[in-house]
Amino acid sequence: MRDKIDDEILEEVSEEVEMQEKNLTEKLHRANVRWPWLKIVAAIVLVVVALSVVAIVQHGAGQETGETVETENGQTEPETGMGPEEGKLEDGKTGEKTEEEKQPEPKPEAPKPVTVPQNTGRKLVALTFDDGPSASTTGRLLDILAAKKVKVTFFVLGNMAQRSPALIQREVAEGHEVESHTMSHQNLVKLSGAAIQDEIAGADAVLKSVTGSPAKLVRPPYGSVNATVRANVGKPMIIWTVDPEDWKYRNAATVRANVVSRTFDGAIVLMHDIHSTTVDAVGAIIDDLRAAGYEFLTVSELAAERGVVLQNGASYGSFRP
Ligand code: ZN
């Protein structure tokens, strides 16, 4: 009896096992049929995940790059020359600093005007002329400026001032600002601290003998500034934000177009009064900018109008509202 039951059970169980085996085989078969589709679905999922990861990584990298640019801008300066954009960035940096120092905003929704621009609505620009005075061109430039009633800033070389002291005196007498472009136009970043001081002191001595006072401001040749220069110049440094490259384009129409198209409110424009083609362009530049609503100030006037107190060893490319 027991054996029989056992047999029956055994038979049932083996039937059951057989059934299950069948089912399993069927399932495996179905799975095999579906496998290519599962493979495709899995591949799509993988691609989507990979793309998301790439997007996240790129986003992170972008943010990092942005920060690096700001840091670099805050800490280093171009070794040779200075493009208009670098000058703008530097100015932007200065503006940001002032904002933070003056009023740390507690609420992000609060209205933005932290630094209220003085003389709202005025468009101001400072024309500056380097490397003179030149016996052959600076007198003619002064005639044009007098006729147009425009005051500019001359960054003169000590050794040029020595040669033409009368032109320096005329610049001062006619209301222009006369500042230092160093004694002999050396690239200051290549000099020792002592040599930098000599370049500044040399020009100051000449200016003092010719005009009665040393320079208040320095324009480093090539706009070239580093930590050693900052530490040894001992005066505020004025760079620029509009550079028509008049030394390269000896063509009045090009110089005029470059200046007029690039000038903005608060810009400092770099030109050279030693090039006759530049002097040829100045009358039209003044007319064009005036027609666009610009007023002409010296560099010190522009800084004062924009409420900027110039610091020794700091460099400035523009004075925006
Ligand atoms: Zn120069």
Side-chain angles (χ1 to χ4, degrees):
M1 179 70 179
R2 198 183 165 94
D3 278 0
K4 202 187 167 191
I5 290 167
D6 279 351
D7 278 353
E8 271 175 24
I9 289 168
L10 200 69
E11 206 173 316
E12 264 175 45
V13 167
S14 39
E15 260 174 51
E16 182 74 15
V17 168
E18 213 172 297
M19 279 277 284
Q20 277 180 4
E21 266 178 5
K22 238 181 175 180
N23 277 342
L24 200 65
T25 315
E26 228 168 284
K27 274 180 190 166
L28 276 170
H29 178 70
R30 273 188 228 141
N32 274 335
V33 170
R34 282 179 192 152
W35 179 239
W37 292 106
L38 285 171
K39 221 170 166 182
I40 289 164
V41 169
I44 289 167
V45 168
L46 272 173
V47 166
V48 168
V49 168
L51 284 175
S52 306
V53 167
V54 166
I56 288 162
V57 166
Q58 276 180 346
H59 183 66
Q63 280 182 332
E64 233 170 72
T65 310
E67 278 162 20
T68 310
V69 166
E70 262 174 47
T71 314
E72 267 178 14
N73 186 45
Q75 290 177 347
T76 59
E77 298 222 2
E79 291 270 304
T80 50
M82 186 171 202
E85 271 163 37
E86 282 148 325
K88 276 178 209 165
L89 277 171
E90 178 164 326
D91 182 64
K93 176 204 77 185
T94 311
E96 258 177 30
K97 246 188 198 166
T98 320
E99 250 176 53
E100 281 169 12
E101 281 162 12
K102 281 186 181 168
Q103 282 187 29
E105 287 286 339
K107 289 172 197 167
E109 323 89 51
K112 242 204 161 177
V114 179
T115 45
V116 180
Q118 300 182 15
N119 303 307
T120 307
R122 287 177 75 191
K123 285 161 84 177
L124 309 176
V125 62
L127 302 182
T128 69
F129 295 90
D130 286 15
D131 296 0
S134 157
S136 58
T137 47
T138 303
R140 189 158 66 88
L141 173 61
L142 286 169
D143 293 344
I144 294 165
L145 297 173
K148 301 277 182 192
K149 295 185 166 59
V150 167
K151 305 285 186 272
V152 304
T153 304
F154 290 98
F155 287 98
V156 302
L157 289 169
N159 56 20
M160 295 292 272
Q162 261 172 340
R163 266 179 256 170
S164 306
L167 281 170
I168 298 281
Q169 283 158 350
R170 186 180 164 196
E171 288 171 355
V172 173
E174 296 183 0
H176 303 294
E177 182 170 2
V178 177
E179 302 289 5
S180 171
H181 195 33
T182 74
M183 187 64 190
S184 62
H185 211 274
Q186 298 198 44
N187 190 345
L188 299 184
V189 302
K190 294 180 177 168
L191 302 184
S192 67
I196 292 167
Q197 288 179 25
D198 285 349
E199 277 290 309
I200 303 304
D204 275 347
V206 175
L207 285 177
K208 201 171 178 196
S209 73
V210 174
T211 70
S213 44
K216 300 185 300 291
L217 309 173
V218 168
R219 171 164 283 163
Y222 316 104
S224 204
V225 174
N226 66 7
T228 312
V229 173
R230 249 187 276 276
N232 288 281
V233 158
K235 299 178 198 283
M237 291 177 281
I238 305 300
I239 317 296
W240 57 82
T241 33
V242 176
D243 180 3
E245 296 179 285
D246 62 340
W247 52 271
K248 188 162 80 182
Y249 302 111
R250 303 295 179 86
N251 176 298
T254 306
V255 173
R256 172 190 183 181
N258 286 351
V259 170
V260 173
S261 65
R262 295 171 192 177
T263 294
F264 57 90
D265 186 8
I268 298 172
V269 181
L270 168 69
M271 288 183 274
H272 298 83
D273 53 312
I274 55 170
H275 302 311
S276 61
T277 41
T278 298
V279 176
D280 292 343
V282 168
I285 287 170
I286 291 169
D287 291 346
D288 287 350
L289 291 178
R290 227 171 220 160
Y294 281 96
E295 293 174 55
F296 302 91
L297 300 183
T298 67
V299 167
S300 289
E301 287 170 346
L302 178 57
E305 283 293 330
R306 292 283 147 84
V308 177
V309 179
L310 300 171
Q311 307 292 324
N312 292 343
S315 49
Y316 305 86
S318 66
F319 300 102
R320 293 169 191 267

